[in-house]
Each structure stands twice: as C-alpha cells, then as structure tokens.
Amino acid sequence: MNKQSAYSILLFYKYVNIPDAQQFAQEHLDYCKNLGIKGRILIADEGINGTLSGTVEQTEQYMHDLRQNPLFADIVFKIDEADGHAFKKMFVRYKKELVTFRVDDKDLDPNTLSGKKLNPKQFYEQLQRDDVIVLDGRTGYEYDLGHFRNSIRPDVESFREFPQWIREYMSEHKDKPILTYCTGGIRCEKLSGFLLKEGFQEVYQLDGGIVTYGKDPDTKGRLFDGKCYVFDERISVPINHTDEAIIVGRCHHCGKPSDRYMNCANDACHRQHICCEECDSMHNGYCSEQCASL
C-alpha cells in the first residue's frame, strides 16, 4: 500500500445465516464506534453487507477481528486507499434483506442458487462474444455514470423493481448467455439466481463486481466506459485505467459530457444528478429552477 495513504476504504459482504442478527447488529455497532471507524453496515438474518473507512491500522484491525468470527472467516474485503474518511458517521442497521429484492422465495439463496462466477479476465473474454447479453444489475442512475460497453440499461430506480422489469423486458433472451454485474457483487448474487429461476439457461456474474474488475492487472478495467458510482462521499471512482477510458455521463442541464455527480443544493430535494462545472456554477448546485426558487 502507498505509504502516503493513511486511510483505507473497505467494501465487503457475505451471505451466511446469522443467529440472532438483531442483537449481533447492536453489538457490532458498539464495536465499530469503539474502534473509531465510520461507514454503513447492514446486518440481516442472511448475512452482512458493508462499506466503511478508517485509518490503515483501524481497517486492518476490523478485518482481523471480523474474520475471528467463524461465520466470516473467509469473507473477502475490497480495499481502496484514501486520504481520509469517506463517511461522516457510523451506522450499523438490521434489515430483513441485505439488498431489498422482495421476492418471497426461499430457493433464492445465493449459497445454493446463483449464476456462475467469472473472474475479471474470464468476464472480459465473455464480453467479447457476439451472442452474449450483458445486464447491468444496478439502477439506471448508476448506469448513466458508467457501465460496461454494450450492456443493457435497466429501467429501474431501485433493486426491488428488477423482478418485474426482467419478466417484462428480458424474457426473449432466455436462450442466450447472460452476463450480470454490479458494483461489488452482492446484487448479482440474487439477480443471477432469480434469472435462473425464471428459466434463463446460461447465467454468469462478475465475481467481486466492477470495483474488483478495475483493479485487475490483466484487464485494467478495459471495456468499462465512464466511472463507477459508489455509495460514499467519493460518489464515483475510475475503473478503466487504459487510454480507452471515455466519459459517458451527460450533464443534467446542458447535455455535455461530464462525470461529476452531485446532490441538489435544496435539502428537501437532494436529487443526485450529473452536472458539469459550468452548470454547477450557473445553477448554484440546484437541479432545477423550481428547487432554486424554494
């Protein structure tokens, strides 16, 4: 790790049955606060999903301590260098689902049903097939900032809208190979399993998600255009580290190429939108004239 980077950002998840998950969530919150890290961790009966920041020493201690629990002995952490915290507070919450899918089907357990995992090199090779369908497992606004080339943009605003959208718009592709991907991998664990339950014959998922793909020395993020949206104060991170990198985002106001995501200055709106520097200055950080006038 670069000695100049005093902080680290961790991204991690694991589907595993957690006994008395609500109590575990409370105890984990106390532990995180005592350690001094900041971030957002979700605990459910089905596992853990988190992203947090802290000094290198704090995050190394967190990884060590979590792996001491037999439930998480083999958990995989994605690590980014940072100059400071990526969060302002520490949240640990209990939820019914790690990612809100709302499909009442006990067979949709990622530990028993999910698409075949591909490492970045394998995924890159599959991307170049003529017959493959590439499905972005994130929301539309995440796709707009950056995505794999020739992938399908899902017309969804939340993950729980995927089941209906797939049934309405993807059924014609059941006999074709489907490549799924998301930010860190957790959404595709369930999405790929759902596709298999719906009768899709050949389903794959990018192991470790986009963030792992961008760190792979073989692919160097090739065929990913734009930036990857992340759920912390960085908002976005570069993925394609080659001279093929391009900007695909468009300014909400003028339509010019931009990869600057920001929140509307109106706290009652707080809409996230892509905005170039010129329009940011012109509109004073507001997403619309209506928000500016309130």
Side-chain angles (χ1 to χ4, degrees):
M1 180 173 288
N2 190 325
K3 293 182 180 180
Q4 295 180 347
S5 299
Y7 285 75
S8 295
I9 300 171
L10 306 182
L11 179 66
F12 56 96
Y13 76 88
K14 185 180 180 183
Y15 282 102
V16 60
N17 180 50
I18 300 179
D20 202 353
Q22 288 181 287
Q23 180 179 344
F24 177 80
Q26 182 57 56
E27 294 172 350
H28 202 64
L29 174 61
D30 294 339
Y31 162 80
C32 290
K33 286 184 174 180
N34 289 333
L35 184 59
I37 54 179
K38 299 179 181 180
R40 182 177 60 253
I41 299 175
L42 301 179
I43 307 291
D45 297 335
E46 64 181 356
I48 187 171
N49 177 26
T51 178
L52 58 84
S53 62
T55 65
V56 171
E57 292 77 12
Q58 288 171 330
T59 53
E60 287 182 347
Q61 186 67 51
Y62 179 86
M63 290 187 287
H64 173 270
D65 291 347
L66 189 62
R67 285 173 173 151
Q68 295 307 298
N69 186 324
L71 294 175
F72 310 112
D74 59 350
I75 194 169
V76 176
F77 290 94
K78 305 167 187 70
I79 307 171
D80 276 341
E81 299 175 349
D83 296 325
H85 275 293
F87 299 91
K88 295 179 180 178
K89 297 181 180 180
M90 185 71 234
F91 296 97
V92 179
R93 293 194 175 103
Y94 172 81
K95 287 186 63 178
K96 290 184 177 181
E97 294 182 276
L98 291 183
V99 287
T100 305
F101 206 40
R102 293 184 181 172
V103 174
D104 188 15
D105 190 336
K106 294 182 179 180
D107 289 337
L108 283 179
D109 179 355
N111 291 307
T112 58
L113 181 67
S114 65
K116 180 180 179 181
K117 290 183 178 180
L118 301 177
N119 64 37
K121 184 177 180 180
Q122 293 170 325
F123 192 83
Y124 174 75
E125 293 170 350
Q126 291 288 334
L127 282 172
Q128 298 173 77
R129 291 176 57 175
D130 293 332
D131 60 339
V132 74
I133 301 295
V134 187
L135 174 60
D136 194 311
R138 306 170 299 159
T139 57
Y141 72 84
E142 294 172 81
Y143 177 99
D144 291 340
L145 184 64
H147 51 264
F148 281 105
R149 204 166 298 169
N150 299 321
S151 59
I152 295 177
R153 181 190 188 277
D155 186 18
V156 299
E157 294 184 0
S158 64
F159 190 61
R160 63 176 175 266
E161 296 176 17
F162 262 103
Q164 181 178 349
W165 181 83
I166 287 172
R167 287 165 177 160
E168 291 182 0
Y169 300 103
M170 289 288 293
S171 58
E172 63 184 280
H173 302 305
K174 287 186 176 182
D175 60 342
K176 296 182 179 179
I178 308 292
L179 294 182
T180 67
Y181 68 90
C182 58
T183 307
I186 187 170
R187 284 177 278 187
C188 285
E189 296 267 20
K190 282 204 172 179
L191 181 62
S192 62
F194 178 79
L195 288 167
L196 290 168
K197 286 283 290 184
E198 288 293 301
F200 290 79
Q201 300 299 308
E202 189 178 352
V203 182
Y204 303 92
Q205 59 176 309
L206 174 56
D207 192 15
I210 300 167
V211 292
T212 296
Y213 186 88
K215 297 177 182 296
D216 185 78
D218 292 322
T219 68
K220 296 181 180 179
R222 285 186 175 87
L223 298 182
F224 189 91
D225 296 328
K227 290 186 176 181
C228 178
Y229 182 93
V230 291
F231 296 90
D232 58 57
E233 292 188 357
R234 294 174 298 170
I235 300 180
S236 66
V237 295
I239 298 299
N240 193 325
H241 302 289
T242 72
D243 55 8
E244 300 173 358
I246 62 174
I247 296 175
V248 297
R250 297 286 172 175
C251 177
H252 170 70
H253 297 285
C254 69
K256 292 180 180 178
S258 176
D259 57 13
R260 297 178 70 253
Y261 242 129
M262 59 181 294
N263 294 323
C264 177
N266 181 348
D267 289 338
C269 172
H270 222 53
R271 175 184 179 184
Q272 289 189 321
H273 60 288
I274 298 174
C275 184
C276 67
E277 293 185 5
E278 293 80 3
C279 288
D280 184 12
S281 177
M282 183 183 302
H283 295 276
N284 297 314
Y286 294 102
C287 72
S288 66
E289 292 183 4
Q290 179 180 3
C291 281
S293 64
L294 293 176

